[in-house]
Amino acid sequence: MSDHSKKTVIITGGSRGIGRSVCLSFAGAGTNIYFNYFSPVNPAAEEALAVETEKLISDAGGFAKGISVNVASENEVSSFFEQVINETGRIDVLINNAGITRDGLLIRMKERDWDDVMDVNLKGAFICTKIAAKTMIKQRFGRIINMASVVGVTGNPGQANYVSSKAGIIGLTKAVAKELAPRGITVNAVAPGYIETEMTASLPKKAQEAMMQQIPLGRAGKPEDVAAVVAFLASDQAAYITGQVIHVSGGMYI
């Protein structure tokens, strides 16, 4: 069971990839970890991954609960966060990590592909931040970390929807950081580069090679590289950092 004396962390998209690594970075005994997962295409497979994440956190001595929630639905997010507050009494940290891709050239991109990406990546972050902020304002404390991307700054062909959503995340971060700072709430973004995940593994080999050539450190990043920065921004050591975008990209953006 969750413990009211512990810090409560909510991570969206925590069943796999970077999200799972972020969950594990908080897996100490002093934290209640709640994460969402969602897959309209293969819900059973996604649930299995969520159960796996829960077990990894439990094995590390932590508490975790994964719940199927569509972050693009305000009603579902409200119910999810209400459950968290009822069980723990607070929300200390929110990490908006949930994201999808629907790549394609602009002239061939379907409106549905644009809407789906914007709904999950940007609207989802907006909804979660809006609802979590109400609790954090009452607490006069909170940490919000949004998952942006290096391409939200540099652009990338074939990803007009994804790039726009991540550029929007950066704008959202800066605006909300200014709004919530007087209440003791920090809001920052982490912008990963080429990270070894299922998402990047599905890219064509030529695309992967082209990405590697843009990395001065000469290697792809690991999910743990990103998770370490997220954990720092959520810590007391980062209390005087807000409205910033921290790039974790091996130098892809300098």
Side-chain angles (χ1 to χ4, degrees):
M1 291 181 64
S2 60
D3 186 337
H4 281 232
S5 68
K6 296 179 180 180
K7 178 183 287 186
T8 298
V9 179
I10 296 177
I11 298 135
T12 67
S15 60
R16 63 169 84 197
I18 291 173
R20 174 180 285 181
S21 289
V22 171
C23 286
L24 287 169
S25 73
F26 290 98
T31 308
N32 297 311
I33 300 169
Y34 288 79
F35 66 92
N36 92 296
Y37 62 93
F38 185 73
S39 174
V41 177
N42 196 340
E46 204 65 37
E47 182 178 6
L49 289 168
V51 170
E52 192 174 283
T53 298
E54 288 178 340
K55 185 177 185 305
L56 288 169
I57 293 168
S58 178
D59 290 346
F63 167 85
K65 182 180 288 188
I67 301 172
S68 178
V69 177
N70 178 5
V71 295
S73 166
E74 186 161 354
N75 286 337
E76 290 190 34
V77 173
S78 293
S79 296
F80 175 33
F81 283 26
E82 184 177 350
Q83 177 180 345
V84 173
I85 293 167
N86 287 340
E87 293 182 7
T88 71
R90 58 190 301 108
I91 299 173
D92 296 284
V93 181
L94 167 66
I95 296 120
N96 287 308
N97 169 74
I100 62 171
T101 58
R102 297 286 187 272
D103 296 349
L105 294 175
L106 174 67
I107 59 173
R108 296 175 186 166
M109 186 174 290
K110 296 176 182 177
E111 185 176 355
R112 177 64 182 270
D113 292 337
W114 173 276
D115 289 344
D116 285 350
V117 169
M118 296 298 283
D119 280 352
V120 174
N121 298 10
L122 185 54
K123 181 183 175 184
F126 156 71
I127 291 172
C128 291
T129 299
K130 173 185 173 183
I131 296 172
K134 294 176 182 178
T135 295
M136 291 179 175
I137 286 170
K138 291 177 184 176
Q139 297 169 172
R140 300 193 71 85
F141 174 83
R143 299 279 186 268
I144 299 172
I145 298 119
N146 298 321
M147 201 62 66
S149 170
V150 66
V151 301
V153 177
T154 64
N156 202 38
Q159 289 192 309
N161 48 4
Y162 184 78
V163 169
S164 296
S165 72
K166 294 304 182 178
I169 284 287
I170 292 172
L172 177 68
T173 298
K174 292 179 179 293
V176 176
K178 289 190 174 184
E179 283 191 31
L180 299 183
R183 298 304 183 101
I185 302 164
T186 65
V187 187
N188 292 288
V190 176
Y194 181 48
I195 308 296
E196 293 177 347
T197 64
E198 289 181 22
M199 187 181 291
T200 56
S202 66
L203 293 171
K205 189 173 181 180
K206 286 187 177 180
Q208 294 185 41
E209 291 172 350
M211 293 282 279
M212 287 294 293
Q213 291 175 2
Q214 299 175 45
I215 305 172
L217 283 181
R219 68 171 179 86
K222 298 184 180 300
E224 293 78 10
D225 294 323
V226 180
V229 177
V230 172
F232 167 70
L233 289 173
S235 73
D236 292 340
Q237 286 71 35
Y240 202 55
I241 301 173
T242 195
Q244 302 305 303
V245 182
I246 311 298
H247 287 263
V248 185
S249 62
M252 284 181 72
Y253 176 75
I254 295 177

